Amino acid sequence: MRKLLVLALVGLAAQLVDGALGMAYGLTSSTLLLFVGVAPAAASASVHLAEIGTTLAAGVAHWRFGNVDWRVVARIAVPGAAGAFAGATFLSAISTESAAPWMAGILFTLGAYLLVRFTRPLRTDRRAGRLRGRHLGPLGLVAGFVDATGGGGWGPVATPALLVSGRMEPRKVIGSVDTAEFVVAGAASIGFLIGLGSEGFLLPMVAALLVGGLIAAPVAAWLVRIVPAQLLGAAIGGVIVLTNARTLMRAADLDGPARPTVYAVLAAAWVVALVLAVRVLRRARRQRTVAATALADHAPAGAAPQRTPGAPPAPRFEHAPAPR
C-alpha cells in the first residue's frame, strides 16, 4: 500500500510537470519504475496504459483553457500513433537485458536534452507562418517511436521541436502535444498488449499512476500559464539524467571510484543548468519590464493621439476662457 501511495504521488507530480512543460510524464514515471526494478517493457506498457486516462483528462483541461490547436493535433497524432505502435512492438520483442540499457540510454539522452534546452530562451515568432503537415508527420512518427521504446519521449521530442519553430504560442504547443498524446498512448498500449499480453501491464501500478495523474491534470493545465518553464524543465532534466545514469553505469560494469566521479560531474552540470535557467528567466523578465516601461513612457495616460502625417494640426488653446 505504501508503494502504491508513493506511485500515486509520483503520478501527480509527473502530471504537474507534464502539464506545465508539455513533456516528462512518461520520462519521470518510467525512470522510477526502472529504478525499482520493473522490466523495461512492463514499465513502458504500464506507463502508457495510465497515460490513456491522464492524457484524456489533460486534453480536456487544455481545451477548456484554450490551449489546443486542433489542426496541429490532427496532423501529429496519427503518425505519432503509428510510431508508438512500432516502438511498442520492437520493445516487446527484445530481451530485458538488452532493453534496460537501451531504455535508460534514451531516457538519459532526453533528460540531458531538457537540461540544455531550458538553459536557452524560449522564443515565439509567429511571422514565420503556420506549421506544415510535411513537417508534423515525420516529427510525430519519430516522437511516437521514441516514446514507446523509451517509456517516455513524446513530449521531449515533439514539444521542443514545435517551440523552436517559433510558429505557435508556448501554451498552445504544450496543450496540443498533450492532447495528441492520448492517441499515441492508446496505440502504444495496443502494441504492448499484442506483444506482451495482458500480463505485461502491472495494473496496481497503472491505477496508482492514473489516480495521481487525474488529480493533477486540471491543475497542470492552469499552471502552464504561470509556472516558469525554464526552471521546471532544467530541474526535471537533472533528475532524469542522474537516475538513469545508474542503469547505464551498471550495464557498462563501471565500478569503484569512477561511479562517484560520474555522479559528481553530472550533479555539477545540473547545478550549472539550473543557474543558467534562472539567469535566462531573470533576463527575460527584465526585458519585458523595460519594454513595458518604454511603451508606457511613449504613450502616457491622457496623452493626445499622434497626428497622422499630412493632417492639419489640432487647434491649441493657450488659456481657457474664464467662466461667466
Side-chain angles (χ1 to χ4, degrees):
M1 188 64 188
R2 185 180 302 172
K3 288 182 179 180
L4 294 179
L5 180 60
V6 170
L7 282 173
L9 293 174
V10 168
L12 188 147
Q15 184 58 44
L16 285 175
V17 173
D18 187 87
L21 286 181
M23 64 184 81
Y25 179 89
L27 291 184
T28 307
S29 304
S30 296
T31 294
L32 174 73
L33 294 182
L34 286 180
F35 187 77
V36 299
V38 176
S44 184
S46 301
V47 167
H48 280 91
L49 187 60
E51 280 186 323
I52 293 177
T54 59
T55 53
L56 177 61
V60 171
H62 278 299
W63 167 66
R64 291 179 65 86
F65 280 101
N67 298 337
V68 180
D69 184 330
W70 290 106
R71 175 181 170 275
V72 172
V73 171
R75 298 197 175 192
I76 200 173
V78 174
F85 182 85
T89 304
F90 169 78
L91 189 63
S92 301
I94 63 178
S95 66
T96 299
E97 291 76 15
S98 302
W102 165 274
M103 191 167 169
I106 291 177
L107 293 172
F108 181 92
T109 303
L110 293 173
Y113 180 79
L114 291 183
L115 279 179
V116 174
R117 178 69 191 93
F118 286 98
T119 57
R120 296 179 297 166
L122 305 176
R123 294 187 174 92
T124 302
D125 181 12
R126 292 178 217 161
R127 294 174 299 177
R130 302 178 72 183
L131 287 162
R132 297 182 180 179
R134 66 186 182 192
H135 298 141
L136 293 173
L139 174 63
L141 188 68
V142 172
F145 184 84
V146 172
D147 184 69
T149 54
W154 171 256
V157 174
T159 300
L162 295 180
L163 285 173
V164 169
S165 72
R167 302 183 182 189
M168 293 177 66
E169 295 177 71
R171 67 182 182 90
K172 288 207 169 185
V173 170
I174 293 169
S176 301
V177 169
D178 270 4
T179 303
E181 194 173 8
F182 169 72
V183 180
V184 174
S189 297
I190 294 172
F192 283 120
L193 181 63
I194 295 173
L196 301 175
S198 58
E199 62 274 9
F201 298 97
L202 306 176
L203 295 182
M205 292 186 177
V206 171
L209 291 171
L210 178 60
V211 169
L214 289 176
I215 293 172
V219 181
W222 171 72
L223 284 177
V224 70
R225 296 168 174 263
I226 61 173
V227 173
Q230 300 281 166
L231 195 57
L232 192 57
I236 198 64
V239 172
I240 292 167
V241 164
L242 285 173
T243 308
N244 287 285
R246 171 176 171 267
T247 304
L248 291 176
M249 286 188 287
R250 182 185 299 169
D253 293 325
L254 197 62
D255 294 315
R259 282 199 180 192
T261 303
V262 171
Y263 278 126
V265 171
L266 293 177
W270 187 14
V271 172
V272 170
L274 286 171
V275 170
L276 291 175
V278 170
R279 287 173 120 186
V280 168
L281 183 60
R282 287 179 175 176
R283 189 183 306 125
R285 287 178 175 175
R286 283 198 302 268
Q287 290 173 348
R288 285 197 298 267
T289 301
V290 170
T293 303
L295 187 62
D297 289 342
H298 284 83
Q306 293 186 349
R307 184 171 61 90
T308 305
R316 282 181 69 186
F317 298 96
E318 297 296 335
H319 302 284
R324 296 183 179 180

